[in-house]
Amino acid sequence: MTETAGATPASMKAVVMHAPEDYRLEDKAVPSPAADELLIKVQAVGVCASDLKAYAGAAKFWGDENRERWVEPGITPGHEITGEVVSGSAEALALHGVELGDRIVLEQIVPCEECMYCKRGWYWMCGPHDMFGFKHYDGGMAEYMIVPPLARAHKISSEIPPHHAAFAEPLSCSLHAVERAQLTFDDVVVIAGAGPIGLGAIIGAAHKNPKMVIALDFDEHKLELAKKCGADLTLNPSKVDVYEEIRALTGGYGADVYIECTGHPSAVSQGLNLLRKLGRYVEYSVFKENVSVDWSIISDDKELDVLGAHLGPHCWPAAIKIIESGVLPLDEICTHQFGLDEVQKALDTVADSAGASIKVSLLPGA
């Protein structure tokens, strides 16, 4: 028997992807949850660079003319999701450990639990890789959405603004990048970029208490935010020679760790050059184009550890705890909120690299 928290309308507004650069706001029936599913009323959904890349028609792999698109036609986008549980059977509620009226955030991926990666515990690298808002499962750019049984849901306080709660997704991603870096107390850590992912990496790195956290960005306002998030030092590459500054701080050796969060190709070679020998490079970005570097720096020159990071596995409880603690300047990080009917404006705001936005969100109920 399905339990509901009050009356649910028959229809709703939802953004639907039809083709690259063709997202439409449509009237759809509110979905009915199956016996093992939940229905949530979406309260906020973040918009990020991967949404923008998918909107432009990007594919999974560069250089493949028959490549699979990131987003299936007919899918509702949106993967940085928070919402209120409004309907679900006792079975489904128990499965996710929630009750009607709880606010939850959802991990981006819905793992299959059948592939080699899932069976080995690497669920975030699931082979089919079905993700909310990209493939198979409708995302959060709608007034209501289904939470399937294999989804990973986490409770989060209803006392905080919904767009702050939705920041749990990018923050968990950032924390995973920090975990990949394996920071120690002696490390000098450089984080390139003070956007949503970079600020989250600064937050995570500062919580690890290394010797120094250095933030790089061309925007002075973002650098001020980086300080509020825990950066010990901020540097603007347009104003100082960051290579010379960091060499001077490290006895001429270079940084121990570099975490790349800009998505700009120039930041990759910058990081390789800023690192000391045997340093650690972590990549967490969405690039618009291919990146070329001198691989001899990685091998013959420095013997670097180069690490990728994907999604936010096992970092959601920490991200939620940090957000709920109130220590972050989330009013300054979560800069722009729009209604569903302004989805194009939200995408354009994210695309405007010269603009003042940091974290852009849609509020379906607004």
Side-chain angles (χ1 to χ4, degrees):
M1 178 179 176
T2 297
E3 301 177 40
T4 59
T8 303
S11 65
M12 66 176 186
K13 297 289 186 182
V15 176
V16 179
M17 184 273 196
H18 286 267
E21 299 186 7
D22 184 6
Y23 283 16
R24 306 176 197 173
L25 184 63
E26 299 180 357
D27 288 309
K28 295 181 65 177
V30 172
S32 297
D36 56 358
E37 295 176 335
L38 300 175
L39 179 70
I40 65 169
K41 183 176 183 179
V42 181
Q43 296 173 325
V45 56
V47 184
C48 80
S50 61
D51 290 308
L52 190 65
K53 188 171 181 178
Y55 172 76
K60 288 186 175 180
F61 304 104
W62 294 104
D64 179 2
E65 295 306 318
N66 298 313
R67 59 203 181 189
E68 182 182 0
R69 296 290 173 185
W70 274 16
V71 180
E72 295 176 345
I75 285 286
T76 290
H79 61 280
E80 301 180 7
I81 302 158
T82 190
E84 178 189 354
V85 179
V86 295
S87 183
S89 68
E91 171 194 350
L93 293 167
L95 176 65
H96 291 289
V98 300
E99 298 178 358
L100 293 180
D102 282 347
R103 175 190 278 175
I104 60 173
V105 287
L106 297 170
E107 297 198 27
Q108 317 91 314
I109 195 163
V110 182
C112 72
E113 305 296 355
E114 295 293 334
C115 69
M116 178 193 73
Y117 300 104
C118 287
K119 288 183 176 180
R120 292 189 181 183
W122 304 325
Y123 74 93
W124 65 100
M125 298 304 297
C126 172
H129 223 74
D130 293 336
M131 296 178 69
F132 286 116
F134 291 99
K135 182 182 173 186
H136 195 74
Y137 295 104
D138 284 328
M141 293 187 187
E143 292 180 295
Y144 293 86
M145 65 172 281
I146 291 291
V147 179
L150 294 177
R152 296 192 171 215
H154 304 270
K155 289 193 286 188
I156 192 167
S157 172
S158 298
E159 300 300 314
I160 58 179
H163 49 291
H164 293 185
F167 190 67
E169 191 277 341
L171 182 54
S172 70
C173 292
S174 301
L175 297 185
H176 178 50
V178 171
E179 290 283 72
R180 292 282 282 161
Q182 304 171 53
L183 301 188
T184 72
F185 295 132
D186 286 334
D187 284 337
V188 172
V189 183
V190 176
I191 296 170
I197 296 296
L199 290 172
I202 292 163
I203 293 160
H207 276 69
K208 295 285 189 179
N209 202 31
K211 181 183 292 183
M212 181 176 289
V213 177
I214 302 171
L216 308 181
D217 204 284
F218 290 96
D219 187 311
E220 290 295 330
H221 173 64
K222 289 180 179 178
L223 290 176
E224 286 300 314
L225 268 180
K227 291 178 183 177
K228 294 180 181 180
C229 290
D232 300 299
L233 176 67
T234 60
L235 297 173
N236 186 328
S238 69
K239 297 183 177 180
V240 300
D241 186 329
V242 296
Y243 181 87
E244 292 300 329
E245 292 284 335
I246 291 169
R247 283 292 188 277
L249 288 167
T250 57
Y253 290 103
D256 302 283
V257 175
Y258 181 90
I259 304 178
E260 200 290 300
C261 303
T262 72
H264 195 282
S266 65
V268 178
S269 57
Q270 171 183 260
L272 299 179
N273 285 304
L274 286 176
L275 284 168
R276 62 161 170 81
K277 294 178 181 180
L278 301 173
R280 299 185 298 285
Y281 178 109
V282 179
E283 181 58 58
Y284 205 129
S285 285
V286 177
F287 289 97
K288 294 180 181 179
E289 54 195 279
N290 288 343
V291 180
S292 297
V293 297
D294 180 0
W295 276 75
S296 62
I297 298 173
I298 298 167
S299 56
D300 189 50
D301 289 356
K302 294 186 176 181
E303 196 176 317
L304 300 176
D305 288 336
V306 178
L307 302 162
H310 178 57
L311 305 186
H314 311 301
C315 294
W316 284 76
I320 291 166
K321 182 179 179 181
I322 291 170
I323 289 170
E324 290 180 340
S325 74
V327 300
L328 301 182
L330 285 171
D331 283 330
E332 296 178 72
I333 294 172
C334 301
T335 53
H336 291 70
Q337 295 85 49
F338 299 98
L340 277 182
D341 59 343
E342 298 177 294
V343 61
Q344 187 62 56
K345 189 174 181 180
L347 290 164
D348 292 343
T349 301
V350 174
D352 182 9
S353 60
S357 72
I358 297 178
K359 183 71 257 173
V360 175
S361 302
L362 296 173
L363 306 180

